[in-house]
Amino acid sequence: MQRNDNMRTLEEVQATVEIAKLQEDDLQTTIHCLSFGENVLSADYCLMELDDTLCKHIEAGESLVIRGDKDEKAVLCTGDKTYDLKMADTSNLLLLVPDCKTPDQLSGSKDSPLVVQTQIWGFCSSYWELRKQRPRMKKLKQLLMENPYEGPSLRGQEDPESLYTMLDLLERIQASEQELLAQLETIHACQVDGYWRMLDFDYEMKLLGHVTQLIDSESWSFSKVPMETCLEELCPLEPREMIEHWLNCFGKRSTENERVFYALDEDKVCRATALLLLQNAVKFNLREFQEVWQQSVPEGMGTRLDQLRGYALVDRGSGPDTICLLRVEDLSEDTVERFNQLFALREKWTEADITPYIKDLCGEKQTTAALLTKYARSSTQNGVKVFNSRRPVAT
């Protein structure tokens, strides 16, 4: 049998070791002789560095999915987490060797060294690093608001091109399935005929009116609304599933003697009413707004400005105090851009005012104080600590 020119005998290996002035006692007893396979190219393979959690995920037969449109930076998702993908270079060439064994898996002894002929299948000078990150959800609401659900009268007449199933959303949104489901619940989305839909805001407020008027007419407590009676009374006006969906969004479900009750969330009801008042106003005199707001919510509920943290901004500067709509969901998901937007709106912020607009940017074990230290400069104004941009901001 003709010997491959790339193969080495033990004697040739020992001669090479001697020429290199290495001590055989310092080497492993199993010796790999490396050779390149035919047509090996560096572009044939990509390497990815996984932590123990992701390794176990793969070993358990689970999958990893890379998500992102052409104009987006790709992310990698498991079933419940999202990771940023970043290319890292290495000064040492990384060789891909199939069935490569670590020293503790090798046989051989000092008295009988073993030569193993090993073929290289590929090589890389870079690899993908993974870093856990926040899911990118801004696009989710944009997609669902292309065709919001406005009630049963238009049901079945919508263009299916602007409707999305869960599979469609997973193809478009850079998030894991669990993170996506959690966000769908946060934005009050629901499934209608197999598609995920967001309720049109006016329709959602219409449902709020139906429920609160019924509570008032029946003299029920907001903390104990009977589900079945509520559905029976309102189903002639709106679909049963929409009333129940609204109760799930704005109330907390409980069971008593096999009957289901809902305790309405005062903060959510008051907040929705405030958003209705603010949506068409550039600025609202704060005192007047608070009066109208309190008059607009169901009797027995109390309004407080802290219910609007992350939804509206109060300006107590020169002149009468004012309030305007500013929802955190409308701001950029990019940290630098978010701070630029905020400092373009207002030159100086107190920590209490800016915190609701940056806390969602915090990573694991990161605080808003750490973000402010990195992206803002602090000073004292009239005895109050305020923050401004570290760089000039275009207005």
Side-chain angles (χ1 to χ4, degrees):
M1 181 181 295
Q2 186 174 5
R3 185 170 73 92
N4 187 320
D5 289 339
N6 291 324
M7 297 178 66
R8 297 290 182 266
T9 64
L10 178 59
E11 290 74 19
E12 288 172 327
V13 170
Q14 290 172 332
T16 302
V17 169
E18 186 175 348
I19 292 172
K21 298 182 179 180
L22 299 175
Q23 298 296 322
E24 279 194 57
D25 291 343
D26 296 334
L27 306 179
Q28 297 291 335
T29 55
T30 299
I31 303 160
H32 284 281
C33 288
L34 303 179
S35 62
F36 284 93
E38 296 181 4
N39 302 318
V40 175
L41 297 173
S42 62
D44 287 346
Y45 298 92
C46 289
L47 297 181
M48 185 178 294
E49 185 179 56
L50 304 180
D51 59 20
D52 288 341
T53 301
L54 289 174
C55 281
K56 291 176 182 176
H57 186 84
I58 291 292
E59 290 167 354
E62 302 293 334
S63 61
L64 301 176
V65 183
I66 295 177
R67 294 195 170 110
D69 283 341
K70 291 181 179 179
D71 59 342
E72 296 173 327
K73 187 177 178 182
V75 299
L76 182 137
C77 298
T78 64
D80 60 354
K81 292 182 178 63
T82 302
Y83 295 84
D84 184 37
L85 282 167
K86 182 181 179 182
M87 183 64 76
D89 294 324
T90 174
S91 57
N92 297 319
L93 193 65
L94 303 173
L95 304 178
L96 277 66
V97 179
D99 301 320
C100 185
K101 292 181 172 58
T102 56
D104 59 307
Q105 297 173 311
L106 298 172
S107 57
S109 64
K110 295 290 184 182
D111 297 330
S112 56
L114 180 64
V115 176
V116 176
Q117 308 298 330
T118 303
Q119 192 172 69
I120 298 168
W121 281 20
F123 59 92
C124 292
S125 59
S126 59
Y127 62 95
W128 289 105
E129 281 184 331
L130 300 180
R131 182 179 302 168
K132 190 175 181 302
Q133 71 155 37
R134 304 182 312 276
R136 297 169 185 169
M137 295 293 190
K138 192 175 182 68
K139 191 198 293 186
L140 176 61
K141 191 171 181 179
Q142 294 172 350
L143 291 177
L144 296 184
M145 288 307 291
E146 291 174 2
N147 198 341
Y149 184 79
E150 298 178 0
S153 60
L154 297 176
R155 190 167 177 176
Q157 301 178 32
E158 299 96 343
D159 179 8
E161 292 296 320
S162 59
L163 299 177
Y164 301 92
T165 63
M166 175 56 77
L167 186 59
D168 295 330
L169 293 175
L170 286 171
E171 288 290 328
R172 302 291 302 276
I173 305 302
Q174 292 185 292
S176 68
E177 186 169 358
Q178 283 193 25
E179 290 168 329
L180 180 56
L181 285 169
Q183 184 65 13
L184 285 167
E185 181 178 346
T186 298
I187 63 176
H188 296 177
C190 63
Q191 280 188 297
V192 180
D193 299 329
Y195 296 102
W196 280 96
R197 309 290 299 275
M198 270 194 71
L199 303 191
D200 178 77
F201 181 67
D202 289 339
Y203 182 65
E204 190 173 61
M205 294 305 295
K206 182 181 178 182
L207 295 175
L208 185 154
H210 286 325
V211 174
T212 54
Q213 286 171 22
L214 178 63
I215 291 171
D216 182 59
S217 66
E218 297 291 336
S219 299
W220 292 334
S221 167
F222 287 115
S223 62
K224 197 172 184 180
V225 179
M227 183 187 76
E228 281 304 322
T229 307
C230 188
L231 296 178
E232 288 170 8
E233 292 290 332
L234 296 178
C235 66
L237 302 175
E238 299 295 342
R240 184 183 179 95
E241 62 270 21
M242 286 296 113
I243 299 295
E244 187 170 358
H245 171 67
W246 187 93
L247 288 170
N248 282 319
C249 292
F250 284 84
K252 184 177 180 181
R253 186 183 178 115
S254 63
T255 304
E256 184 180 313
N257 298 325
E258 299 184 353
R259 294 185 65 196
V260 177
F261 294 90
Y262 282 89
L264 294 194
D265 189 315
E266 181 178 83
D267 289 351
K268 289 183 178 180
V269 173
C270 291
R271 182 182 304 124
T273 306
L275 296 179
L276 180 65
L277 296 172
L278 291 169
Q279 65 177 348
N280 296 318
V282 177
K283 280 191 177 182
F284 212 127
N285 179 280
L286 180 61
R287 183 179 59 80
E288 293 176 0
F289 167 76
Q290 288 179 293
E291 291 176 0
V292 175
W293 183 24
Q294 183 59 59
Q295 293 167 4
S296 302
V297 299
E299 188 176 352
M301 288 193 171
T303 59
R304 306 183 314 277
L305 286 177
D306 66 89
Q307 293 167 336
L308 302 182
R309 288 170 63 85
Y311 292 88
L313 183 64
V314 173
D315 185 356
R316 300 185 186 277
S318 59
D321 295 347
T322 59
I323 186 169
C324 64
L325 188 67
L326 182 62
R327 295 177 296 195
V328 66
E329 64 192 49
D330 295 330
L331 300 175
S332 173
E333 292 179 306
D334 177 76
T335 302
V336 173
E337 180 61 26
R338 173 81 63 85
F339 274 94
N340 287 342
Q341 289 175 331
L342 292 173
F343 288 124
L345 287 169
R346 177 184 287 184
E347 182 182 358
K348 295 183 179 181
W349 292 73
T350 64
E351 186 171 2
D353 283 346
I354 201 171
T355 293
Y357 294 103
I358 62 172
K359 63 181 181 180
D360 64 305
L361 299 174
C362 294
E364 287 186 302
K365 300 180 181 179
Q366 190 177 32
T367 63
T368 54
L371 277 178
L372 288 169
T373 300
K374 184 174 182 180
Y375 295 100
R377 180 181 290 111
S378 65
S379 59
T380 302
Q381 182 174 291
N382 298 325
V384 178
K385 189 175 184 180
V386 293
F387 296 87
N388 63 288
S389 178
R390 286 186 171 274
R391 63 189 72 183
V393 177
T395 56

